[in-house]
Amino acid sequence: MSEVDFDRLADYIGGALDGTPLESEVRQLIATESAWALAFANLASAQASVTSALSVLAEVREPMPEAVSDRLLAALRAEGLAADSGHPGGTGHPAAERAGQTRRPDGADGRGPAERRPPARPRSRRRRTTFSIAALVVIAIAAIASLPILRKNAEDAGSGGVLATRDQLADAPRAAPLVLASGDEYTRATISDQVAAALRVNTLTKDAQADAGGERESSTASGPAGGQRAPEELRRLVDPQALTRCLSTIVTRHGGSVSAVDYARFEGQAALIAVLSKAPAAVGRPLVVVVGPSCGVDQDFPDERYVATG
Amino acid sequence: MVSGDPGVGDSRDDAALLRDHAAGDRAAFGELFRRHRDRLWAVALRTTGDREDAADALQDALLSAYRAADRFRGDAAVTTWLHRIVVNACLDRLRRRQARPTVSLADTEPAPAPPPDRETVLVVRAALTELPVDQRAALVLVELEGYPVAEAAKILGVPVGTVKSRCARGRARLALLLGEPRNPSAPANVPSAGTAHARTEDRGE
């Protein structure tokens, strides 16, 4: 087993290795060595929190103090700058000047402190870490409910990964997967029975409803059933975009469609329990896929821990 | 490359202002300063982590830009050029000092609205000053100032992959400094992000 290279791991997560041979090497290490997999999970989760913290700092905009401005202008005037140039009121009313400034194409608009401009970021910011896990789970449910089911064409299941076409997705019935945040402890010996029990408790008859062609009824319109005890390590996956990417990687690998997820634990570690219906590997039965907190960080890496038929 | 946001009374874009300054217009550079001073101040302050250092670095940078305007080739936006000079001045100052900068908040001018999370701001700001200067500069440009990675690469004069690496390693190091917990379920012999601190320190930046 090779020692974890944390700089290399950070580079991998940050995309610095994209397209290089090292990218494949690190991916392989994560997939085959538990130390690398755990380090990856920890670091990915930690970096998500750091990004959130940086976003808070980024929102604080402090204008140049006038004393500093005066000092710099004095230095420039000693070089030859015109005496009346450079002051905020030099070419017009300060308020009118600020109002006249618009966002520049290169992203620097020089707006004043009264405007709390969010930085021009190419990606969405994670919300503040003070959200309760329960609130975030509710947001995730609403997001999932509005997404078309990610279906993998059963006929292509053996071809190595072709998602349904846009038309097929558009024609697929919209349904709301059951979302639980039980925090329950699943084990290899009991997972199938536990999933079956959870589904019965939540009065979900997925296959019957899907066959009838109607929308699935979910008992989760007002929030997750079965308690809100999602492990803290799964906070990243409460974000709708992160959860979508995670479920997408699961469906890409196994086919079928996601009918339920539970934020829980598997053999002592935080895990997302995903239940798939109509997966080719489990004809007529649900397929249960257990994934870790880093599911979906890499588009090809669901951080899979265990698979079983329901 | 056309850029610039004319203020009231001056419709010239940044490139025109710089050209006119190089041609002898004694007021043109002042207009550039007025337009971009807050953004340049933010970059300098966040990179150096110290008000005095930021002011000193900005003075060095602006004087360099003032004197070297005739050498601007126009192959990048004027703001990119200005930011590059400012960041380099900040990094030069930090490397020369090789001293750990401190964050001076006592003389912060009151802002119109309070920060959304004061404690987080203070903690993260302090943690940023602990980073190696190259990682700090990359994170300031990308994460705090919102520059695309490609633009930050131009400002820093390094490849895009280097910026990504510096940002990624900077975030990892910040995670340690901000006390991100390890997975409590992990076996004791599995290294956490905590051991990254020792390794990256050993490698040096």
Side-chain angles (χ1 to χ4, degrees), chain B:
Chain B
M1 180 181 300
V2 176
S3 65
D5 176 41
V8 174
D10 195 324
S11 60
R12 292 174 289 178
D13 64 22
D14 287 353
L17 283 170
L18 201 61
R19 275 197 307 274
D20 291 348
H21 162 67
D25 183 336
R26 295 181 58 211
F29 198 88
E31 175 62 15
L32 274 176
F33 171 78
R34 187 193 64 77
R35 288 180 189 176
H36 303 297
R37 65 175 204 165
D38 289 344
R39 193 80 187 268
L40 295 176
W41 169 249
V43 169
L45 183 59
R46 285 170 162 165
T47 302
T48 61
D50 180 82
R51 294 184 127 60
E52 284 305 313
D53 281 345
D56 290 344
L58 259 181
Q59 181 168 322
D60 292 343
L62 288 172
L63 287 174
S64 294
Y66 188 94
R67 295 162 185 156
D70 57 343
R71 294 201 289 273
F72 175 69
R73 295 187 301 273
D75 53 352
V78 171
T79 49
T80 301
W81 179 72
L82 282 173
H83 279 82
R84 182 184 303 153
I85 297 174
V86 168
V87 170
N88 283 336
C90 292
L91 296 180
D92 286 347
R93 181 164 291 272
L94 289 173
R95 290 185 185 118
R96 278 200 303 271
R97 283 173 61 128
Q98 291 190 343
R100 184 161 296 176
T102 56
V103 178
S104 314
L105 295 176
D107 57 347
T108 300
E109 292 191 359
D117 188 339
R118 182 68 178 170
E119 184 177 349
T120 299
V121 167
L122 293 177
V123 168
V124 176
R125 188 179 282 164
L128 263 177
T129 64
E130 301 289 324
L131 296 183
V133 294
D134 289 339
Q135 292 177 6
R136 188 192 318 169
L139 279 179
V140 164
L141 289 174
V142 174
E143 296 278 1
L144 300 186
E145 296 301 314
Y147 281 100
V149 171
E151 187 73 12
K154 288 180 188 175
I155 293 172
L156 295 171
V158 298
V160 166
T162 300
V163 173
K164 288 184 179 179
S165 176
R166 290 178 183 176
C167 284
R169 296 186 186 194
R171 282 192 290 268
R173 191 171 291 233
L174 277 179
L176 297 174
L177 293 169
L178 295 176
E180 287 299 316
R182 60 178 290 171
N183 183 345
S185 302
N189 63 339
V190 175
S192 70
T195 55
H197 182 72
R199 288 200 175 85
T200 53
E201 292 259 332
D202 290 342
R203 287 195 179 89
E205 291 280 348

Side-chain angles (χ1 to χ4, degrees), chain A residues 12 17-28 298:
Chain A
Y12 175 79
L17 303 182
D18 290 355
T20 70
L22 279 173
E23 180 187 16
S24 302
E25 286 182 28
V26 173
R27 182 183 299 145
Q28 182 68 13
D298 182 320

